[in-house]
Amino acid sequence: MKIVLIFLLFFSFGTAKEEHEHKHHEFHMPRDLGYLDLDSEQKAKISKIVSENERKLELLHDKKELVEMKMKRFFLEDDFDKEKFAKLILELKTESITIEADMFKQMHDALNPKQRELFLYYMKEWEVE
């Protein structure tokens, strides 16, 4: 019962119609862009951006698993090759940064200046980990 009351309390705060200078003060679900008031063209663009990004991240995740297996093999060898180890990690991180930068560039292009400013409040939840 307590959980239901807590949920209702949070829900009522999230749906309150108080006007704030910035909507980022309201209840926010991760990766929800409702606060940006996107038009239909922007919604279509961003939907495409997000789905492409998810596909790239799935491929990156698969690659990360392979790299982790290789790193374990390097560590178990008699002679640890620090350069090979570092090169694998660097390639993976470089690919991750490239995916993130591409996605943020596309988001930047799809949003107007006011929307970009609002997006900054929740930008961290869109970062590649």
Side-chain angles (χ1 to χ4, degrees):
M1 185 66 177
K2 288 180 184 178
I3 294 173
V4 172
L5 290 174
I6 291 170
F7 173 78
L8 290 174
L9 180 66
F10 280 118
F11 183 76
S12 67
F13 287 131
T15 59
K17 292 291 182 185
E18 284 186 38
E19 290 298 320
H20 295 286
E21 183 178 339
H22 296 291
K23 292 183 180 183
H24 68 275
H25 295 292
E26 295 178 11
F27 179 73
H28 174 75
M29 293 294 292
R31 300 189 89 177
D32 173 34
L33 298 175
Y35 65 96
L36 294 177
D37 298 323
L38 302 170
D39 63 33
S40 59
E41 184 179 332
Q42 288 176 311
K43 286 179 184 176
K45 284 181 184 177
I46 290 178
S47 177
K48 183 178 178 189
I49 292 166
V50 170
S51 66
E52 287 176 3
N53 194 56
E54 287 174 358
R55 183 184 52 78
K56 289 177 185 178
L57 290 176
E58 285 175 16
L59 294 173
L60 180 66
H61 179 72
D62 294 343
K63 185 174 184 176
K64 182 178 179 182
E65 289 178 355
L66 292 172
V67 166
E68 286 173 353
M69 286 191 300
K70 286 181 182 179
M71 290 171 21
K72 288 176 184 177
R73 279 192 305 221
F74 287 154
F75 193 77
L76 293 174
E77 291 177 359
D78 291 337
D79 292 323
F80 181 74
D81 191 334
K82 181 177 134 182
E83 283 76 29
K84 281 185 182 178
F85 192 85
K87 184 179 177 184
L88 277 174
I89 294 172
L90 183 59
E91 287 174 4
L92 193 63
K93 290 190 185 271
T94 300
E95 187 171 344
S96 174
I97 291 167
T98 300
I99 290 170
E100 185 175 341
D102 289 345
M103 191 265 310
F104 282 132
K105 169 66 173 133
Q106 292 173 345
M107 293 291 278
H108 176 273
D109 292 346
L111 300 174
N112 66 40
K114 182 173 173 45
Q115 291 167 328
R116 288 183 206 135
E117 184 179 327
L118 293 172
F119 182 77
L120 286 176
Y121 291 102
Y122 303 110
M123 191 172 177
K124 184 130 186 89
E125 65 193 33
W126 291 85
E127 293 176 356
V128 175
E129 293 181 23

